[in-house]
Amino acid sequence: MTATAPREGQLWSRCDGCATLLYRKRLRRNLDVCPECGAHARLAAPERLRQLVDPDSFVALPDQPAEVDPIDFVDLVPYPHRLIAARAGTGLAEAVVCGTATIGGHRCALAVMDFRFLGGSLGCAVGELVTRAAERALADRVPLVLVTASGGARMQEGALALMQMATVSQAVAGLREAGLLTVSVLTDPTYGGVAASFATNTDVLLAESGTRMGFAGPRVIRQVTGGALPEGFQTADFLLRHGQVDMVVPRHALRGRLVSLLAAAGAGRPAASPPGVPRQGKPAPVGAAPTAPAGPADGDAWETVRLARHPGRPTTLDYLETAFDGFVELHGDRLGADCPAVVGGLARLDGRPVMVVGHQKGHSTAELVGRNFGMASPAGHRKALRLVRLAARLGLPVVTLVDTPGADPGVRAEEHGQAAAIAENILALTVLPTPVVAVITGEGGSGGALALAVADRVLMFQHAVYSVISPEGCAAILWPDRSAAPQAARALKLTGPDLCRLGIVDALVPEPAPAAHHDPQGAAVALRAALLVHLLPLLDVPTATLVRRRRQRFRRFGAARPDTRAGVR
């Protein structure tokens, strides 16, 4: 169980996690995290603000909500008496502190809950204050950061407390519509009505280490089900594994992670232009678009397939380390899983914030197995969908890196709606109101590849492949046996030059000789240059024009052009 931060003036305190007696000043220097076992003590809202925001930057919201006792609630003592005791014990007017501040120089609005005040419960006053914080963020066009710590809705205010779940969620929806980032920092504990509303309907969810979060508490679940709970149930790591949060962050890294998120998302910048209105500003000048020599793609298609599958070939995470800057990975589909075959998050390209989503294979056998060889489950496709929709709300361009033999063909994938998940991605990317550039970096296999490759520009590495089916699969169906795979590879026209001639791919990205896995850094340089050439001009295209051209791009594949019919046959 997470410890409670000791009161000021105490010289020593005992950790609830390991029972170690700790010197108070040492504990405070360690941000109230036990240096022996890592248990995170609960923090009061003022202390949380001191740790997160820039010094002297916090300005509390000026208006306080009116006193409320809406249903004259009395249990052992009248509700007003409980409020008086909570205010005397905490020095706060309510269970949340709201205002504006800067974090790493980025302006934002904040609402920080305090569990000491009636268990951080959500009542009318708390709902009003958090709503005003959201409205202030909307008025100032800055992100909203919520720090939650709550047992749920306040019982003493009856159904009116329940209504605050909808009231605050509605305010968060307004920020989404305006394209402003919303971030929840879940701290221990976050339960009930807060967990089931604004704490989890923000764009990004960070869980502080040691946090427990859920709708019903463990005691209630045990009473209702009569069964034992899994090890680590509702803990931060449990939530991450089940796709419920984007990341788990220790307290000492929390401020830095918020700074990275606010910076990568372009905190405080103007929202995306409405349909038909060009984006402002000119892209930085770059060199000519890189082009790839013909290489084995024009000579031996099967050799290109073998190069595309080489285990040393750079992966999406490799490129995120080298071709992009400041990557912040976001996890989970928010429905129950976090597919390791798809990675994505916020990054920067030449100083511009972008959303990057890609397949992840790995290099070693253990990595390949752990990532399912880059074959995405329905959860992976839904994670990608969540991230590209977040990019659209924030007005960020999207870069997808495609490297997969195909979508996961397993039984569980079918049970969880693999076909529908791919279909939804294709549909969403077709009308996504922000620029999309897709790069086939290795294998582009079937619908699993297309789920991330519906884009304004489709690029392809020199030794990559992109096909309706694998050569082995094609050979097994149309030839006597799978040994005809090399022949099938040539017939499928799956290499870069073939696909450029068909109009499916716009340009090839050159690879260092003899291939990308021999010089991953050189491949990253080529990728970065190609993205700058092809992505930056799209930023000046009005949104309506962008979507219309993307749809026209794929409409033209309905009938083969005269110069490509022979190749198609």
Side-chain angles (χ1 to χ4, degrees):
M1 181 176 178
T2 303
T4 300
R7 295 179 181 178
E8 294 296 336
Q10 288 182 251
L11 293 178
W12 298 88
S13 61
R14 189 174 298 278
C15 173
D16 284 355
C18 63
T20 300
L21 195 62
L22 301 169
Y23 186 46
R24 177 70 187 118
K25 288 185 178 180
R26 181 191 180 199
L27 187 61
R28 177 50 60 92
R29 284 195 301 269
N30 206 41
L31 304 181
D32 286 301
V33 176
C34 176
E36 303 300 326
C37 72
H40 286 51
R42 292 174 185 162
L43 293 181
E47 180 58 29
R48 180 73 67 177
L49 284 166
R50 280 193 290 271
Q51 291 185 10
L52 293 182
V53 308
D54 297 340
D56 302 320
S57 68
F58 181 75
V59 179
L61 293 182
D63 298 326
Q64 294 295 328
E67 296 284 336
V68 290
D69 181 14
I71 59 174
D72 297 322
F73 188 93
V74 178
D75 50 294
L76 297 178
V77 297
Y79 174 43
H81 292 187
R82 293 195 181 277
L83 288 174
I84 291 171
R87 287 165 181 161
T90 63
L92 302 178
E94 255 298 348
V96 67
V97 177
C98 301
T100 60
T102 60
I103 300 177
H106 300 283
R107 295 173 55 233
C108 62
L110 296 103
V112 181
M113 303 188 76
D114 196 316
F115 193 77
R116 300 174 304 157
F117 196 108
L118 298 182
S121 52
L122 174 63
C124 293
V126 172
E128 177 67 17
L129 285 167
V130 178
T131 298
R132 290 184 186 181
E135 290 171 346
R136 180 62 180 269
L138 182 60
D140 293 349
R141 301 201 65 78
V142 298
L144 174 67
V145 176
L146 303 171
V147 182
T148 62
S150 175
R154 191 169 293 178
M155 296 175 289
Q156 294 91 339
E157 296 184 16
L160 284 170
L162 187 68
M163 296 301 105
Q164 302 310 308
M165 295 168 61
T167 299
V168 181
S169 295
Q170 181 175 277
V172 172
L175 293 171
R176 283 192 172 201
E177 292 167 358
L180 295 169
L181 178 69
T182 56
V183 180
S184 284
V185 179
L186 306 174
T187 73
D188 188 63
T190 298
Y191 279 104
V194 171
S197 58
F198 59 90
T200 54
N201 62 18
T202 54
D203 295 318
V204 180
L205 266 65
L206 281 64
E208 185 179 66
S209 297
T211 293
R212 295 165 300 160
M213 190 274 284
F215 180 56
R219 184 175 62 181
V220 173
I221 296 174
R222 280 192 292 263
Q223 288 175 347
V224 172
T225 65
L229 300 179
E231 182 69 24
F233 183 66
Q234 294 183 329
T235 62
D237 292 334
F238 176 93
L239 297 170
L240 184 65
R241 288 196 306 273
H242 290 82
Q244 304 299 306
V245 298
D246 286 290
M247 63 189 83
V248 176
V249 187
R251 186 171 293 165
H252 69 83
L254 195 53
R255 172 180 157 85
R257 187 59 73 199
L258 283 173
V259 171
S260 297
L261 277 172
L262 297 176
R269 64 182 178 80
S273 303
V277 180
R279 293 171 174 86
Q280 299 299 312
K282 297 291 183 182
V286 294
T291 56
D298 274 341
D300 185 358
W302 181 244
E303 177 61 23
T304 304
V305 171
R306 295 176 64 184
L307 289 173
R309 293 172 173 174
H310 194 284
R313 197 168 181 85
T315 66
T316 292
L317 286 178
D318 293 330
Y319 286 124
L320 283 164
E321 284 286 329
T322 52
F324 298 87
D325 305 309
F327 175 59
V328 179
E329 185 173 0
L330 305 178
H331 290 268
D333 66 350
R334 301 277 181 91
L335 295 176
D338 181 38
C339 175
V342 174
V343 298
L346 297 160
R348 285 186 171 268
L349 179 68
D350 194 36
R352 293 169 173 81
V354 296
M355 183 69 77
V356 185
V357 183
H359 299 103
Q360 178 64 22
K361 283 184 175 179
H363 299 295
S364 67
T365 300
E367 287 177 329
L368 289 165
V369 172
R371 300 279 183 177
N372 198 28
F373 298 88
M375 296 187 293
S377 67
H381 292 123
R382 289 169 182 139
K383 173 165 66 173
L385 181 63
R386 181 173 77 85
L387 296 183
V388 300
R389 283 177 170 167
L390 172 58
R393 288 201 300 273
L394 299 177
L396 305 182
V398 173
V399 174
T400 64
L401 304 179
V402 177
D403 185 14
T404 179
D408 184 354
V411 173
R412 284 184 59 82
E414 292 300 317
E415 291 174 344
H416 289 83
Q418 181 70 287
I422 294 171
E424 186 65 23
N425 276 33
I426 293 172
L427 181 62
L429 285 170
T430 299
V431 296
L432 198 74
T434 195
V436 184
V437 173
V439 186
I440 315 298
T441 63
E443 284 187 279
S446 192
L450 185 63
L452 293 186
V454 176
D456 302 295
R457 297 285 186 276
V458 178
L459 313 181
M460 191 168 173
F461 267 83
Q462 178 185 352
H463 302 314
V465 294
Y466 191 16
S467 176
V468 66
I469 192 173
S470 70
E472 294 90 343
C474 181
I477 295 171
L478 300 179
W479 272 266
D481 55 58
R482 294 170 65 92
S483 65
Q487 186 178 351
R490 289 187 287 273
L492 284 167
K493 306 297 182 186
L494 46 65
T495 67
D498 290 327
L499 295 168
C500 283
R501 285 191 287 269
L502 290 169
I504 292 171
V505 170
D506 296 293
L508 299 185
V509 181
E511 297 186 27
H517 57 275
H518 289 275
D519 183 5
Q521 183 62 42
V525 171
L527 174 62
R528 184 182 180 93
L531 288 174
L532 290 174
V533 167
H534 289 275
L535 179 60
L536 296 186
L538 297 174
L539 300 179
D540 286 332
V541 179
T543 301
T545 303
L546 192 75
V547 173
R548 184 179 72 252
R549 289 177 180 173
R550 191 185 308 144
R551 297 176 74 167
Q552 289 172 344
R553 170 193 176 88
F554 287 89
R555 177 64 183 89
R556 73 172 185 258
F557 300 132
R561 296 173 300 177
D563 60 331
T564 64
R565 283 175 185 159
V568 172
R569 292 197 189 104

Short mmCIF file of all heavy atoms in Angstrom, two decimals, residues 105-131:
data_model
loop_
_atom_site.label_atom_id
_atom_site.label_comp_id
_atom_site.label_asym_id
_atom_site.label_seq_id
_atom_site.Cartn_x
_atom_site.Cartn_y
_atom_site.Cartn_z
N GLY A 105 8.36 25.95 -19.31
CA GLY A 105 8.13 27.08 -20.19
C GLY A 105 6.88 26.98 -21.04
O GLY A 105 6.54 27.93 -21.76
N HIS A 106 6.16 25.87 -20.97
CA HIS A 106 4.94 25.67 -21.76
C HIS A 106 3.72 26.01 -20.92
O HIS A 106 3.51 25.43 -19.85
CB HIS A 106 4.85 24.23 -22.25
CG HIS A 106 6.00 23.81 -23.11
ND1 HIS A 106 6.13 24.18 -24.43
CD2 HIS A 106 7.10 23.07 -22.82
CE1 HIS A 106 7.25 23.69 -24.92
NE2 HIS A 106 7.85 23.01 -23.96
N ARG A 107 2.91 26.93 -21.40
CA ARG A 107 1.72 27.36 -20.67
C ARG A 107 0.67 26.26 -20.67
O ARG A 107 0.49 25.54 -21.64
CB ARG A 107 1.14 28.62 -21.29
CG ARG A 107 2.03 29.83 -21.20
CD ARG A 107 1.47 31.02 -21.99
NE ARG A 107 0.11 31.33 -21.57
CZ ARG A 107 -0.92 31.43 -22.41
NH1 ARG A 107 -0.76 31.21 -23.70
NH2 ARG A 107 -2.12 31.75 -21.96
N CYS A 108 -0.05 26.13 -19.55
CA CYS A 108 -1.12 25.16 -19.45
C CYS A 108 -2.05 25.55 -18.32
O CYS A 108 -1.71 26.39 -17.48
CB CYS A 108 -0.58 23.75 -19.23
SG CYS A 108 0.35 23.55 -17.69
N ALA A 109 -3.23 24.94 -18.31
CA ALA A 109 -4.14 25.03 -17.17
C ALA A 109 -4.04 23.71 -16.40
O ALA A 109 -3.81 22.65 -17.00
CB ALA A 109 -5.56 25.28 -17.63
N LEU A 110 -4.21 23.79 -15.07
CA LEU A 110 -4.07 22.59 -14.24
C LEU A 110 -5.23 22.46 -13.27
O LEU A 110 -5.78 23.46 -12.81
CB LEU A 110 -2.77 22.63 -13.43
CG LEU A 110 -1.45 22.62 -14.17
CD1 LEU A 110 -0.87 24.03 -14.16
CD2 LEU A 110 -0.47 21.67 -13.51
N ALA A 111 -5.54 21.20 -12.97
CA ALA A 111 -6.45 20.87 -11.88
C ALA A 111 -5.81 19.72 -11.12
O ALA A 111 -5.62 18.63 -11.67
CB ALA A 111 -7.82 20.48 -12.40
N VAL A 112 -5.43 19.96 -9.87
CA VAL A 112 -4.69 18.98 -9.07
C VAL A 112 -5.55 18.58 -7.88
O VAL A 112 -5.88 19.42 -7.02
CB VAL A 112 -3.34 19.56 -8.59
CG1 VAL A 112 -2.58 18.52 -7.77
CG2 VAL A 112 -2.51 20.02 -9.79
N MET A 113 -5.90 17.30 -7.80
CA MET A 113 -6.77 16.82 -6.73
C MET A 113 -5.96 16.45 -5.50
O MET A 113 -4.78 16.12 -5.57
CB MET A 113 -7.59 15.63 -7.22
CG MET A 113 -8.42 15.93 -8.47
SD MET A 113 -9.57 14.60 -8.91
CE MET A 113 -10.85 14.86 -7.67
N ASP A 114 -6.62 16.51 -4.33
CA ASP A 114 -5.97 16.24 -3.06
C ASP A 114 -6.79 15.19 -2.31
O ASP A 114 -7.93 15.46 -1.89
CB ASP A 114 -5.85 17.52 -2.24
CG ASP A 114 -4.86 17.39 -1.09
OD1 ASP A 114 -4.90 16.36 -0.40
OD2 ASP A 114 -4.07 18.33 -0.89
N PHE A 115 -6.22 14.00 -2.13
CA PHE A 115 -6.96 12.90 -1.50
C PHE A 115 -7.24 13.16 -0.03
O PHE A 115 -8.16 12.57 0.54
CB PHE A 115 -6.18 11.59 -1.66
CG PHE A 115 -6.98 10.37 -1.31
CD1 PHE A 115 -7.92 9.87 -2.19
CD2 PHE A 115 -6.79 9.72 -0.10
CE1 PHE A 115 -8.66 8.75 -1.87
CE2 PHE A 115 -7.52 8.59 0.22
CZ PHE A 115 -8.46 8.09 -0.67
N ARG A 116 -6.48 14.06 0.61
CA ARG A 116 -6.70 14.34 2.03
C ARG A 116 -8.07 14.96 2.28
O ARG A 116 -8.64 14.83 3.37
CB ARG A 116 -5.63 15.29 2.54
CG ARG A 116 -4.19 14.78 2.43
CD ARG A 116 -3.24 15.90 2.85
NE ARG A 116 -3.45 17.09 2.06
CZ ARG A 116 -3.11 18.34 2.44
NH1 ARG A 116 -2.55 18.53 3.62
NH2 ARG A 116 -3.34 19.36 1.64
N PHE A 117 -8.61 15.64 1.27
CA PHE A 117 -9.87 16.35 1.44
C PHE A 117 -11.02 15.41 1.06
O PHE A 117 -11.34 15.21 -0.10
CB PHE A 117 -9.88 17.59 0.54
CG PHE A 117 -10.95 18.60 0.89
CD1 PHE A 117 -10.61 19.80 1.47
CD2 PHE A 117 -12.29 18.35 0.63
CE1 PHE A 117 -11.59 20.75 1.77
CE2 PHE A 117 -13.28 19.26 0.94
CZ PHE A 117 -12.92 20.47 1.52
N LEU A 118 -11.62 14.79 2.07
CA LEU A 118 -12.74 13.88 1.89
C LEU A 118 -12.46 12.85 0.79
O LEU A 118 -13.31 12.55 -0.06
CB LEU A 118 -14.03 14.65 1.57
CG LEU A 118 -14.54 15.61 2.65
CD1 LEU A 118 -15.83 16.28 2.22
CD2 LEU A 118 -14.72 14.88 3.97
N GLY A 119 -11.25 12.30 0.82
CA GLY A 119 -10.88 11.27 -0.15
C GLY A 119 -10.84 11.76 -1.58
O GLY A 119 -10.99 10.96 -2.52
N GLY A 120 -10.61 13.08 -1.77
CA GLY A 120 -10.57 13.61 -3.13
C GLY A 120 -11.87 13.42 -3.88
O GLY A 120 -11.89 13.34 -5.11
N SER A 121 -12.98 13.36 -3.15
CA SER A 121 -14.25 13.02 -3.78
C SER A 121 -14.74 14.14 -4.70
O SER A 121 -14.48 15.32 -4.49
CB SER A 121 -15.31 12.71 -2.72
OG SER A 121 -15.37 13.75 -1.76
N LEU A 122 -15.47 13.70 -5.74
CA LEU A 122 -16.00 14.60 -6.76
C LEU A 122 -17.39 15.07 -6.37
O LEU A 122 -18.36 14.33 -6.46
CB LEU A 122 -16.04 13.87 -8.11
CG LEU A 122 -16.70 14.60 -9.28
CD1 LEU A 122 -15.94 15.88 -9.63
CD2 LEU A 122 -16.78 13.68 -10.50
N GLY A 123 -17.47 16.32 -5.92
CA GLY A 123 -18.75 16.94 -5.62
C GLY A 123 -19.01 18.10 -6.56
O GLY A 123 -18.26 18.35 -7.50
N CYS A 124 -20.07 18.86 -6.28
CA CYS A 124 -20.45 19.96 -7.16
C CYS A 124 -19.35 21.03 -7.24
O CYS A 124 -19.05 21.54 -8.32
CB CYS A 124 -21.75 20.60 -6.65
SG CYS A 124 -23.19 19.52 -6.79
N ALA A 125 -18.74 21.35 -6.10
CA ALA A 125 -17.70 22.38 -6.11
C ALA A 125 -16.47 21.91 -6.87
O ALA A 125 -15.87 22.65 -7.65
CB ALA A 125 -17.34 22.76 -4.67
N VAL A 126 -16.07 20.64 -6.65
CA VAL A 126 -14.92 20.10 -7.37
C VAL A 126 -15.19 20.07 -8.87
O VAL A 126 -14.36 20.47 -9.69
CB VAL A 126 -14.56 18.70 -6.86
CG1 VAL A 126 -13.50 18.05 -7.73
CG2 VAL A 126 -14.09 18.77 -5.42
N GLY A 127 -16.37 19.59 -9.26
CA GLY A 127 -16.73 19.56 -10.67
C GLY A 127 -16.72 20.94 -11.29
O GLY A 127 -16.25 21.13 -12.42
N GLU A 128 -17.23 21.93 -10.55
CA GLU A 128 -17.24 23.30 -11.06
C GLU A 128 -15.83 23.83 -11.25
O GLU A 128 -15.51 24.46 -12.27
CB GLU A 128 -18.02 24.20 -10.09
CG GLU A 128 -18.06 25.67 -10.46
CD GLU A 128 -18.84 25.95 -11.72
OE1 GLU A 128 -19.62 25.07 -12.16
OE2 GLU A 128 -18.68 27.05 -12.29
N LEU A 129 -14.95 23.57 -10.30
CA LEU A 129 -13.57 24.07 -10.40
C LEU A 129 -12.82 23.42 -11.56
O LEU A 129 -12.12 24.11 -12.32
CB LEU A 129 -12.83 23.82 -9.08
CG LEU A 129 -13.21 24.75 -7.92
CD1 LEU A 129 -12.66 24.22 -6.62
CD2 LEU A 129 -12.69 26.16 -8.18
N VAL A 130 -12.95 22.10 -11.72
CA VAL A 130 -12.26 21.43 -12.82
C VAL A 130 -12.83 21.90 -14.16
O VAL A 130 -12.09 22.11 -15.13
CB VAL A 130 -12.37 19.91 -12.68
CG1 VAL A 130 -11.68 19.20 -13.85
CG2 VAL A 130 -11.76 19.45 -11.37
N THR A 131 -14.14 22.09 -14.22
CA THR A 131 -14.76 22.60 -15.44
C THR A 131 -14.23 23.99 -15.77
O THR A 131 -13.93 24.30 -16.93
CB THR A 131 -16.29 22.63 -15.28
OG1 THR A 131 -16.76 21.29 -15.07
CG2 THR A 131 -16.95 23.21 -16.51
#
